[in-house]
């Protein structure tokens, strides 16, 4: 009887440990999100970069990007909510847009092209995985 009780206790402890691990695997996964303000051509359509764009996430200013710039933020979990303050041309007043999106689970580094995102292009146009390439040696 004592061995049976020990076995059940160990089995319950293992089940609790696996449940906690599964939850932490989903909500504790970190991602590095790179914000691009670069021109893009997709399907014969050209999307120009914004003059300036300020990215605000979690109430903090993450990046202030001019045309051609890139900024980054590390996030935990799968959801990204950000506010984009976009200035289309020099001297114009900025307009704000709130954007919420899911980060793909299998990607650690994600590149978001902000002009393509705001132009309403499909996900494969504005989102790609960031891959580090080693420089070639001579």
């Amino acid at each position: 009887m004592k061995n049976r009780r020990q076995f059940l206790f160990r089995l319950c402890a293992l089940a609790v440990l696996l449940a906690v691990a599964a939850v932490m695997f989903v909500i504790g996964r970190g991602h590095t999100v790179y914000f691009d303000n670069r021109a893009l051509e997709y399907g014969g359509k050209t999307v120009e970069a914004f003059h300036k764009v300020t990215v605000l996430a979690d109430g903090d200013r993450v990046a202030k990007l001019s045309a051609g710039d890139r900024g980054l933020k590390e996030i935990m979990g799968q959801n990204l909510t950000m506010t984009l303050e976009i200035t289309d041309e020099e001297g114009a007043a900025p307009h704000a847009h709130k954007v919420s999106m899911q980060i793909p689970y299998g990607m650690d580094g994600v590149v978001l092209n902000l002009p393509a995102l705001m132009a309403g292009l499909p996900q494969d146009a504005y989102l790609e995985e960031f891959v580090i390439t080693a420089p070639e040696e001579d």
Side-chain angles (χ1 to χ4, degrees), residues 53-54 56 82-87 93-99 118:
V53 61
T54 302
L56 304 164
M82 61 186 166
T83 302
L84 303 175
E85 295 177 352
I86 300 169
T87 305
H95 47 96
H97 300 273
K98 188 169 186 174
V99 179
M118 296 309 295

Side-chain angles (χ1 to χ4, degrees), residues 29 31 78 103-110 129:
R29 181 154 172 92
H31 300 276
Q78 299 304 114
I103 303 297
Y105 187 74
M107 294 184 183
D108 290 330
V110 178
E129 185 169 12

Side-chain angles (χ1 to χ4, degrees), residues 44-77:
K45 181 180 177 183
T46 302
V47 179
E48 295 297 324
F50 302 121
H51 176 69
K52 289 204 185 294
V53 61
T54 302
V55 181
L56 304 164
D58 301 327
D60 298 329
R61 185 171 98 175
V62 175
K64 187 171 186 177
L65 308 171
S66 296
D69 286 348
R70 175 180 280 175
L72 70 95
K73 175 167 178 61
E74 304 227 352
I75 65 166
M76 295 297 285

Side-chain angles (χ1 to χ4, degrees), residues 8-51:
L8 287 176
F9 178 74
R10 289 179 181 166
L11 188 63
C12 288
L14 180 63
V16 167
L17 183 63
L18 289 175
V20 168
V23 168
M24 291 306 295
F25 191 68
V26 173
I27 66 170
R29 181 154 172 92
H31 300 276
T32 303
V33 180
Y34 298 90
F35 303 102
D36 266 356
N37 185 20
R38 298 178 185 192
L40 174 79
E41 187 168 323
Y42 180 79
K45 181 180 177 183
T46 302
V47 179
E48 295 297 324
F50 302 121
H51 176 69

